[in-house]
Amino acid sequence: PYKRHLWKVPVPQTSGFNPTNLYAFRGTFHSHPTRKKMCRALAKSGEGVCAELRKAFHSHDETDQQRYIEEIRTAEFSFCPRGLSPSSYRLYESMQLGRCPVIISDDWLAPAGPHWNEFAIFVDQI
């Protein structure tokens, strides 16, 4: 859990969910080459959002935060590629929003507790 509340995250949508996008990702590319490669590979699909952020970590205003949340909420899958570490905040934010996280990391280790294979998809790094 976060030490402080970083996002105003709404309650997950549990009924009447009709995604308008297949996938969503918005984040920095400089934290790991997999992120840029992933977005390049998806660029022509037109089935979701894959966008680079260029702002400093946690310097996002309310509009930026709401766009990020809505992109995840309107997607069926939330891509969670590794960043500086094998994991990403995005994984837990996606879970909090009730979306299927797609974990893209060769070195990620599942924390004890959840039955990860029941709600997440695992993909090798590009």
Side-chain angles (χ1 to χ4, degrees):
Y2 296 129
K3 290 184 178 182
R4 58 188 171 93
H5 187 70
L6 301 174
W7 305 96
K8 294 178 183 175
V9 179
V11 174
Q13 189 175 344
T14 56
S15 64
F17 172 57
N18 188 17
T20 55
N21 287 309
L22 181 60
Y23 60 83
F25 170 80
R26 179 174 294 275
T28 62
F29 286 178
H30 73 271
S31 60
H32 198 275
T34 292
R35 292 169 170 226
K36 189 173 196 174
K37 290 177 186 175
M38 175 189 72
C39 284
R40 280 187 181 161
L42 294 167
K44 294 180 184 176
S45 77
E47 296 184 54
V49 175
C50 200
E52 179 182 16
L53 283 181
R54 296 176 187 229
K55 290 186 177 181
F57 190 64
H58 293 307
S59 67
H60 311 289
D61 62 22
E62 182 79 19
T63 302
D64 295 332
Q65 292 176 19
Q66 290 307 308
R67 176 188 288 162
Y68 173 81
I69 288 168
E70 283 308 306
E71 286 174 353
I72 293 174
R73 287 184 77 180
T74 60
E76 193 165 344
F77 301 96
S78 177
F79 289 155
C80 304
R82 67 159 298 142
L84 294 174
S85 71
S87 191
S88 164
Y89 285 113
R90 186 172 293 95
L91 167 60
Y92 303 101
E93 292 162 349
S94 299
M95 290 168 61
Q96 188 174 0
L97 289 165
R99 296 302 177 260
C100 178
V102 179
I103 301 167
I104 305 169
S105 178
D106 294 345
D107 301 317
W108 184 79
L109 298 174
H115 299 279
W116 292 95
N117 289 327
E118 293 179 10
F119 65 87
I121 296 172
F122 303 90
V123 177
D124 292 337
Q125 288 174 209
I126 300 171

